[in-house]
Amino acid sequence: DLTANGWRTIEAAEAPVKFIRRQAMLRMAEPIMGGTLDELRNFLNCEDDDTWALLASWLVRTVHPNGPYPILSVAGEQGSAKTSACKMLRSIVDPNRADLRALPKDERDMMIACSNSWIQAFDNLSGLTQEWSDVLCRVATGASFTTRALHTDADESVFTVKRPIMTNGIIDATGYPDLLERSCSIFLRSIPDDKRRDERELWKGFIDAKPRILGAVLTAACVALTNWQSVHLPRLPRMADFGIWAVAAEKGIGLKEGAFLAA
């Protein structure tokens, strides 16, 4: 239960909504109060402050129930740990057996995927067509898809979705203007040999920290809910709702005032 006054975990019997458990869903960490998002930064190849501001702001937005959502585009050199970063980010909010996947074969399969999980995470993209750029834009800001219902001639099945999206690849796949304006694009440098970490120990540390990190994400979202109505920007960015939310969340994330818009 998350409001401007704070968050708390509640028992299933108290829950005001009913939950659906899809086959690929994994158990979420139980959030713990008192953590900071800086702890997450220790597990990511994210030394640049602007990169961190965009990445952390995107992550805090994913817990907003209504969106719209920016698309996190993680580009990077070989050996930059971009796939590991995406796996960690997704597992905080939406742990899933299929943590990263290829693009679906068509828009219908995309809508089915969106109906079965929250964050849509696509691995190792080498480029996008204009058609797929348009699909990702619609999913991030709200889309409907209709198809003939099975075993009928006249009835339609309607999918309506709005989902957070992340992609990764050697190159930045957000080359189309509409997609670029909806994206938080970051670039990760290759990790020097003397700074590489054992993957097993890295993930062990991350799993131990994840309850505190999730708690910090929720706390930052509470700060955003407290502040967003008082945010007045001199110029609204293309994703205005997200821009206002990110500025409102800066203190909760641990960013300096103005850091998000500067990034």
Side-chain angles (χ1 to χ4, degrees):
D1 180 35
L2 192 155
T3 70
N5 296 320
W7 61 268
R8 66 187 181 100
T9 56
I10 59 178
E11 296 297 326
E14 299 179 63
V17 297
K18 294 182 178 179
F19 292 92
I20 298 173
R21 178 165 293 281
R22 301 298 190 186
Q23 185 176 4
M25 288 180 178
L26 295 177
R27 183 183 181 91
M28 289 188 70
E30 185 167 344
I32 295 175
M33 295 275 189
T36 69
L37 276 175
D38 282 340
E39 189 169 11
L40 170 62
R41 192 172 181 177
N42 295 331
F43 299 101
L44 304 176
N45 176 27
C46 188
E47 296 181 356
D48 178 77
D49 288 343
D50 285 350
T51 296
W52 171 245
L54 294 175
L55 189 153
S57 298
W58 175 87
L59 179 61
V60 173
R61 182 65 174 180
T62 63
V63 301
H64 193 287
N66 301 319
Y69 305 99
I71 298 165
L72 181 67
S73 174
V74 182
E77 301 168 350
Q78 289 182 334
S80 59
K82 53 189 176 294
T83 295
S84 295
C86 289
K87 287 182 177 181
M88 287 181 178
L89 291 171
R90 178 170 188 183
S91 73
I92 294 167
V93 174
D94 182 32
N96 194 285
R97 289 187 178 89
D99 47 10
L100 302 179
R101 60 179 66 187
L103 280 176
K105 67 178 182 179
D106 55 32
E107 186 173 4
R108 180 179 183 275
D109 281 0
M110 179 69 169
M111 294 298 160
I112 293 172
C114 291
S115 299
N116 282 273
S117 61
W118 184 243
I119 295 177
Q120 305 305 305
F122 303 114
D123 190 34
N124 200 26
L125 297 190
S126 57
L128 286 173
T129 64
Q130 178 70 65
E131 179 182 5
W132 267 108
S133 173
D134 292 344
V135 170
L136 295 184
C137 288
R138 291 197 298 272
V139 169
T141 56
S144 294
F145 176 83
T146 60
T147 185
R148 182 173 62 84
L150 292 177
H151 312 301
T152 69
D153 291 323
D155 293 336
E156 286 186 326
S157 294
V158 180
F159 298 88
T160 300
V161 300
K162 194 185 295 181
R163 296 287 186 268
I165 297 172
M166 70 166 73
T167 68
N168 76 64
I170 295 293
I171 63 170
D172 188 345
T174 58
Y176 299 100
D178 281 351
L179 186 62
L180 186 61
E181 289 183 342
R182 289 169 171 80
S183 297
C184 288
S185 296
I186 65 174
F187 187 86
L188 304 181
R189 300 291 180 184
S190 181
I191 302 173
D193 290 343
D194 61 344
K195 291 188 177 181
R196 292 198 173 276
R197 300 162 69 179
D198 178 85
E199 187 171 6
R200 182 176 58 182
E201 291 301 317
L202 177 70
W203 277 95
K204 182 178 182 299
F206 172 72
I207 291 170
D208 289 344
K210 190 156 59 170
R212 296 187 297 275
I213 294 170
L214 177 57
V217 170
L218 300 179
T219 297
C222 292
V223 172
L225 286 174
T226 300
N227 295 335
W228 73 273
Q229 288 185 310
S230 62
V231 171
H232 301 287
L233 304 181
R235 183 181 62 84
L236 291 175
R238 177 66 173 81
M239 293 283 286
D241 289 344
F242 168 60
I244 293 170
W245 173 268
V247 171
E250 283 178 333
K251 185 175 180 180
I253 294 172
L255 301 176
K256 295 180 180 179
E257 184 178 349
F260 170 76
L261 289 180

